[in-house]
Amino acid sequence: MNPYTITGPVDCSVKPDLSVLKGKSVIITGGAGGLGEGYVRAFSKNGSFVTFGDIDEHKGKKLAEETGAQFVKVDVAQWEQQVEMFKAAKANSPHKSVDVVIANAGIGGQDSIWELQDPGSDPVKPEFPILDVDLFGVVYTFKLACHYFRSQPEDPQRDRCFIFKGSMMGYIDNIVRP
């Protein structure tokens, strides 16, 4: 794969040509609701083969029916589940490719590090679902995207794009103590 080269700033006043999305194979994590659902709908509407993963099976199946996208039930914090989603995306896409990957899945709230136990008892191992999803899940998605991007031949029609999506929760001081 050729190294990335900077081609200058993007002129945001120019409306993008969405016809270039036709035939692309797109993977979206956290695609059953919110921004992820918007990505699924937009890419599907513009002719992409979309595979999306989410833990919400009910919403995922409903969205897949509405859009023709491929839904895979996935907990992004589980490496093996993400591997299966990527395999399904490549195997079922018309060009057997992975062209665009959007790391969109994320959760908010509070990990158990702030839960205090009785200092007279043994400490309890904390659980970190937010770190598992928002950090490790994204890193797993990136690692798999790099693997699949590199495994396909270079071709102008099979360009590669990885999009990291984050929420305001990643930028604001939001430490909450019980």
Side-chain angles (χ1 to χ4, degrees):
M1 196 156 92
N2 292 326
Y4 176 77
T5 56
I6 297 173
T7 58
V10 174
D11 183 353
C12 294
S13 68
V14 176
K15 187 172 178 163
D17 176 10
L18 299 178
S19 69
V20 300
L21 301 176
K22 187 173 177 64
K24 301 289 186 196
S25 176
V26 180
I27 297 174
I28 303 162
T29 64
L35 285 174
E37 178 183 346
Y39 292 135
V40 170
R41 290 184 186 283
F43 278 97
S44 295
K45 178 181 174 184
N46 286 287
S48 297
F49 175 81
V50 176
T51 300
F52 70 101
D54 203 288
I55 59 171
D56 190 330
E57 194 167 16
H58 175 73
K59 286 174 70 177
K61 286 180 176 180
K62 184 175 184 238
L63 182 60
E65 258 180 47
E66 292 175 20
T67 62
Q70 173 177 233
F71 170 69
V72 180
K73 184 175 180 182
V74 173
D75 175 350
V76 295
Q78 302 301 314
W79 169 260
E80 297 80 9
Q81 291 182 29
Q82 284 213 50
V83 168
E84 291 306 313
M85 176 180 59
F86 273 79
K87 284 181 178 179
K90 184 172 182 179
N92 296 320
S93 74
H95 299 285
K96 306 298 182 227
S97 66
V98 173
D99 304 310
V100 178
V101 177
I102 303 174
N104 173 71
I107 60 172
Q110 179 177 327
D111 280 335
S112 68
I113 192 169
W114 302 112
E115 294 174 13
L116 303 176
Q117 290 86 34
D118 178 358
S121 65
D122 286 339
V124 176
K125 179 183 175 184
E127 294 181 12
F128 299 109
I130 295 168
L131 282 176
D132 290 342
V133 171
D134 296 355
L135 177 60
F136 295 113
V138 171
V139 172
Y140 292 162
T141 305
F142 182 70
K143 174 75 173 168
L144 288 163
C146 288
H147 174 81
Y148 281 90
F149 287 166
R150 292 178 60 236
S151 70
Q152 62 197 40
E154 289 193 40
D155 176 338
Q157 297 304 310
R158 303 273 64 87
D159 57 344
R160 296 141 174 105
C161 177
F162 187 90
I163 299 171
F164 286 102
K165 194 274 314 170
S167 72
M168 289 302 296
M169 295 297 287
Y171 301 103
I172 59 174
D173 182 10
N174 193 33
I175 297 176
V176 180
R177 295 182 188 218

